[in-house]
Amino acid sequence: MAKTVIVIGSGFAGLSAATHLAHQGYEVTLLEKNEVPGGRARVFKTDGFTFDMGPSWYWMPEVFEKYFEFFGKKRSDYYDLVRLDPSYSIFFGKGDVMHLPATMEKLYELFESYEAGSSKKLKQFLEEAKYKYETGMDDFVHRPGHSIFEFADPRILTSLFKLQLFSSMSSHVRKLFKNEKLIQLLEFPVLFLGATPENTPALYSLMNYADMSLGTWYPKGGMHEIIKGMVTLAEEKGVKILLDHEVKNIVVPNGHASEVITTKGSFTADVIIGGADYNHVEQHLLPKRSRVYSPEYWDKRTMAPSSLLFYIGVDKKLEGLHHHNLFFDADFNLHAEEIYEDPKWPTKPLFYACVPSITDDSVAPEGKENLFLLVPLAPGLEDTDELREKYFGIIMDRLEAQLGTDVRNHIIYKRSYAHNDFKKDYHAFKGNAYGLANTLMQTAFLKPKMKSSKVNNLFYTGQLTTPGPGVPPSLISGKVVAEVVSKEFPQN
Ligand SMILES: Cc1cc2nc3c(=O)[nH]c(=O)nc-3n(C[C@H](O)[C@H](O)[C@H](O)COP(=O)(O)OP(=O)(O)OC[C@H]3O[C@@H](n4cnc5c(N)ncnc54)[C@H](O)[C@@H]3O)c2cc1C
């Protein structure tokens, strides 16, 4: 008899864990509360538009290639990719726009145009970043992070210095570059993924390597195509996916999870994997005596930002925008401070505009534009319709001024999304969007653990445990937890 597994949540991590285990012969049931799979990468269609609800940046393409290859498939069996050029644009002020080219030669020219001699420094910076990326991706991210001893082998210890775990991203970048715009360009990936550059280990310059050397890609049809591909593959492997099945309770009679109670009945299995937000599974689904962490522990975690999002249909084409547009025409440090140090709605927000209809005519009707706007916000803030509208006005004023065109009067569809929705739809702790921040004190074995120390058959996966937030890490998290489960609960 095959061992049985229940996975809670159909995000990237849950789907990945379920598929890996089904591939090894486990009988896997995946329970998802929403009616659409994909978690934060859900999609909705309306009025001829297709809106990706969460992730829009496709980075680290080899992680996806390897995912499908592991099962003897090809990524291209499921969706097509295009490389974006420019990768993205940064608006620093009216008429002051930086377009990130996709080729290295043009990238070096761009750096020189902002700071003489900086292309040589960029080469050095990216070589170090490549080393970190390769060491990190080949090794670190695949360690479950049960304990510090996983990292105590001589090869890792000798590389620790080169990995720059103990210096900050901010000082690393500032040692090499003086131009503020280049500094912002190099610091933005860590800000969007979860902590200030001052509090993020310089290890994470690996993200710059992912950004600048490996490129920004786009799956034709939108990011949800990845989820569709993963669902098809999961079902090919025999995973039973039950949507609209919200888990309300995990029954733990004596240190062993015996049963999972959902809105549509109860299920039993040999192993349970929580792929929903870690905090929700452990603080709200488990009996108190089975929780490893306290409410105070959770309160002290540095969460990655929440976001205010707008999904907008525009009845005309928007000249002057590219696929990805970062509006840094505001004080970068102040906004970062208002997310992490002194949480409040930002005085003058940075924001991001994604226009996938520039690359893909399938996501908007002809002659119209699909516009996704994102303002990173501190988690746990008050969220009201009035505040959302106030900030909509602020970013629209800036967008219209930058583009020199009327956008507001051309809006034919608009939906907002923020903290309250993240909580309602995903049970997101404090309404977080991207999980736990990548600070030094929340790296590797210092993250909430993949395996419960109180419930012998309960495991966790996803963006709040190892290796961390983002689509590629969540995919990897699912693979790692499957490896841990297959060691602890091997098939006979
Ligand atoms: C707005 C936004 C933009 C982002 N942009 C990017 C980007 O551009 N690139 C990138 O790489 N990453 C991005 N991210 C981060 C990335 O989307 C996440 O890190 C990743 O999707 C997390 O996957 P996950 O499987 O851990 O969690 P989730 O996607 O949240 O999946 C968890 C699932 O569990 C379900 N669930 C919750 N409670 C229960 C319950 N009680 N019973 C059953 N099911 C339950 C939820 O409904 C959900 O489907 C973005 C995230 C957001 C929100």
Side-chain angles (χ1 to χ4, degrees):
M1 282 275 284
K3 288 218 165 69
T4 51
V5 179
I6 285 174
V7 178
I8 305 171
S10 69
F12 287 102
L15 281 168
S16 166
T19 311
H20 278 98
L21 285 167
H23 182 63
Q24 292 177 40
Y26 291 82
E27 197 183 305
V28 185
T29 304
L30 193 153
L31 303 169
E32 165 58 50
K33 82 181 265 292
N34 292 321
E35 286 170 5
V36 180
R40 281 153 165 96
R42 284 182 305 155
V43 71
F44 73 94
K45 291 179 191 253
T46 183
D47 303 27
F49 294 94
T50 301
F51 291 104
D52 272 319
M53 295 187 70
S56 53
W57 297 73
Y58 191 104
W59 275 5
M60 309 187 187
E62 91 285 356
V63 172
F64 301 87
E65 304 294 324
K66 281 187 188 154
Y67 180 79
F68 290 103
E69 277 164 16
F70 185 86
F71 302 103
K73 304 282 183 180
K74 291 201 294 287
R75 182 268 310 150
S76 55
D77 296 338
Y78 299 92
Y79 57 89
D80 292 325
L81 270 187
V82 284
R83 180 154 183 186
L84 302 181
D85 190 5
S87 301
Y88 50 94
S89 302
I90 305 183
F91 292 75
F92 291 109
K94 191 149 171 67
D96 183 4
V97 190
M98 181 193 278
H99 303 292
L100 245 281
T103 64
M104 293 314 285
E105 202 192 333
K106 293 219 167 97
L107 183 66
Y108 293 136
E109 277 170 27
L110 177 94
F111 265 67
E112 282 299 319
S113 71
Y114 280 89
E115 186 179 319
S118 62
S119 64
K120 215 169 136 215
K121 292 178 184 162
L122 179 65
K123 258 181 215 151
Q124 177 197 336
F125 179 85
L126 287 178
E127 261 163 41
E128 289 172 16
K130 180 172 191 261
Y131 172 81
K132 294 175 197 171
Y133 184 89
E134 286 171 353
T135 312
M137 297 306 285
D138 289 348
D139 193 333
F140 267 34
V141 294
H142 298 283
R143 295 179 186 240
H146 294 323
S147 95
I148 193 168
F149 298 110
E150 282 169 29
F151 298 86
D153 78 48
R155 206 168 58 80
I156 291 195
L157 291 176
T158 47
S159 64
L160 274 184
F161 180 69
K162 276 171 91 180
L163 290 172
Q164 298 182 311
L165 256 176
F166 305 109
S167 55
S168 83
M169 187 67 195
S170 171
S171 64
H172 179 47
V173 169
R174 276 158 214 274
K175 245 183 239 157
L176 290 171
F177 305 95
K178 299 284 163 274
N179 181 284
E180 262 316 304
K181 289 175 185 162
L182 295 182
I183 290 174
Q184 286 189 21
L185 163 68
L186 293 165
E187 287 185 346
F188 112 81
V190 301
L191 179 73
F192 266 62
L193 266 182
T196 57
E198 289 76 20
N199 281 331
T200 305
L203 165 71
Y204 286 100
S205 70
L206 65 86
M207 297 288 292
N208 300 106
Y209 175 74
D211 165 4
M212 295 175 166
S213 305
L214 303 179
T216 302
W217 300 75
Y218 174 77
K220 279 279 190 184
M223 293 293 280
H224 190 73
E225 292 301 309
I226 317 167
I227 292 291
K228 275 207 224 150
M230 289 177 70
V231 166
T232 307
L233 178 57
E235 288 177 338
E236 283 167 9
K237 292 284 161 199
V239 177
K240 196 164 147 196
I241 300 178
L242 301 177
L243 301 174
D244 198 12
H245 276 65
E246 177 168 354
V247 175
K248 300 302 263 181
N249 200 355
I250 302 173
V251 183
V252 188
N254 44 22
H256 185 87
S258 61
E259 200 178 4
V260 164
I261 315 287
T262 78
T263 43
K264 300 268 169 70
S266 64
F267 297 80
T268 55
D270 298 312
V271 173
I272 316 287
I273 300 178
D277 271 40
Y278 199 127
N279 167 277
H280 166 67
V281 176
E282 95 127 11
Q283 297 287 303
H284 299 276
L285 303 184
L286 284 179
K288 215 168 180 175
R289 65 176 185 285
S290 305
R291 301 174 194 164
V292 172
Y293 303 107
S294 64
E296 293 73 35
Y297 168 88
W298 282 107
D299 241 9
K300 285 194 188 129
R301 293 311 88 194
T302 308
M303 300 309 292
S306 185
S307 305
L308 170 61
L309 309 173
F310 293 100
Y311 309 101
I312 295 172
V314 184
D315 74 359
K316 64 172 185 179
K317 285 293 187 189
L318 295 174
E319 299 300 324
L321 289 176
H322 282 101
H323 189 119
H324 295 297
N325 310 272
L326 298 164
F327 285 80
F328 286 1
D329 50 336
D331 185 344
F332 192 82
N333 295 325
L334 178 63
H335 190 162
E337 203 179 297
E338 290 170 342
I339 295 177
Y340 299 105
E341 317 297 338
D342 178 19
K344 57 161 91 131
W345 282 77
T347 313
K348 198 172 176 207
L350 307 179
F351 67 98
Y352 157 61
C354 181
V355 197
S357 45
I358 288 176
T359 313
D360 185 351
D361 354 328
S362 75
V363 297
E366 207 187 325
K368 301 190 169 50
E369 216 79 277
N370 174 321
L371 176 64
F372 166 89
L373 298 171
L374 182 155
V375 182
L377 294 174
L381 296 182
E382 181 194 20
D383 167 22
T384 64
D385 287 345
E386 292 70 35
L387 280 162
R388 293 183 186 195
E389 271 315 294
K390 177 179 160 193
Y391 278 82
F392 180 71
I394 293 173
I395 60 176
M396 267 297 145
D397 286 346
R398 298 239 303 275
L399 185 72
E400 289 182 334
Q402 284 286 349
L403 301 184
T405 187
D406 176 14
V407 180
R408 239 172 295 218
N409 290 314
H410 290 271
I411 292 177
I412 51 175
Y413 178 80
K414 176 178 156 202
R415 173 179 172 189
S416 68
Y417 199 96
H419 302 73
N420 293 344
D421 300 292
F422 282 108
K423 287 184 205 158
K424 179 169 80 50
D425 288 350
Y426 311 119
H427 295 303
F429 180 52
K430 296 187 179 176
N432 81 80
Y434 322 114
L436 212 61
N438 280 330
T439 62
L440 177 58
M441 295 315 288
Q442 297 184 160
T443 294
F445 53 89
L446 299 171
K447 283 188 194 289
K449 298 270 189 279
M450 252 188 185
K451 177 175 165 40
S452 166
S453 57
K454 289 200 175 166
V455 183
N456 75 346
N457 59 339
L458 176 64
F459 301 83
Y460 296 89
T461 186
Q463 60 174 359
L464 276 88
T465 180
T466 45
V471 174
S474 301
L475 268 186
I476 292 168
S477 183
K479 180 169 193 271
V480 176
V481 81
E483 282 160 7
V484 174
V485 167
S486 61
K487 270 192 202 124
E488 301 221 2
F489 289 82
Q491 298 280 21
N492 297 322

